[in-house]
């Protein structure tokens, strides 16, 4: 069985997908970009604010499934410029306890939806 997870505190999907799907005790999130959920406008001031918006969106999706970043076991980060890695990592890292941080890969890509600079997806277990 799968349960669709949706919250108005994160951006509504902009295509044929859901914010997250809960299967048993495992949550699979869709990638989040830096859309402000209230205005559906992109937050692209700089890579730090963009990353923070992505993580806040992800926080809302996790909360909708009664989870937190402590439940996250795996993340995937897609970025446009590997030169931004250190600044992204600083913001991303502030959401996790380093001793229990999830597994992760970070991949530079040619293009992301709406030409954003970062997209993050997660897998979490309750």
């Amino acid at each position: 069985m799968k349960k669709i997870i949706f919250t108005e505190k994160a951006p509504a999907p902009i295509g044929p997908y859901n914010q997250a799907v809960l299967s048993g005790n495992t949550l699979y999130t869709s990638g989040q970009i830096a859309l402000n959920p209230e205005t559906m406008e992109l937050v692209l001031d700089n890579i730090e604010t963009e990353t923070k918006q992505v993580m806040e969106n992800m926080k809302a999706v996790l909360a909708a499934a009664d989870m937190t970043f402590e439940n996250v076991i795996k993340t995937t980060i897609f970025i446009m410029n590997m030169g931004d890695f250190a600044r992204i990592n600083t913001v991303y890292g502030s959401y996790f306890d380093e001793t229990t941080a999830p597994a992760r890969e970070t991949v530079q890509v040619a293009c992301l939806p709406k030409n954003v600079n970062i997209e993050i997806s997660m897998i979490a277990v309750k």
Side-chain angles (χ1 to χ4, degrees), residues 28-50:
Y28 301 89
T29 74
S30 293
Q32 285 289 328
I33 61 175
L35 282 169
N36 178 317
E38 294 176 10
T39 64
M40 290 301 284
E41 296 292 324
L42 288 169
V43 178
L44 302 175
D45 302 331
N46 56 55
I47 196 62
E48 290 88 357
T49 58
E50 189 173 351

Side-chain angles (χ1 to χ4, degrees), residues 48-105:
E48 290 88 357
T49 58
E50 189 173 351
T51 303
K52 182 176 180 183
Q53 183 66 59
V54 171
M55 294 300 287
E56 289 297 314
N57 291 346
M58 198 57 72
K59 182 178 179 180
V61 172
L62 290 167
D66 295 320
M67 295 190 196
T68 69
F69 288 111
E70 285 295 314
N71 296 99
V72 176
I73 61 168
K74 176 79 164 56
T75 63
T76 302
I77 303 176
F78 300 99
I79 60 177
M80 290 288 294
N81 180 356
M82 197 57 78
D84 290 333
F85 178 80
R87 295 184 319 168
I88 289 167
N89 204 45
T90 298
V91 175
Y92 169 91
S94 71
Y95 286 84
F96 293 100
D97 176 343
E98 194 169 320
T99 61
T100 59
R104 174 183 85 184
E105 68 261 334

Side-chain angles (χ1 to χ4, degrees), residues 108-119:
Q108 180 173 317
V109 296
C111 190
L112 288 166
K114 297 187 172 274
N115 295 313
V116 297
N117 298 297
I118 183 170
E119 180 175 2

Side-chain angles (χ1 to χ4, degrees), residues 14-27:
I14 55 176
Y17 62 91
N18 289 290
Q19 292 169 333
V21 175
L22 185 65
S23 178
N25 63 350
T26 305
L27 182 72

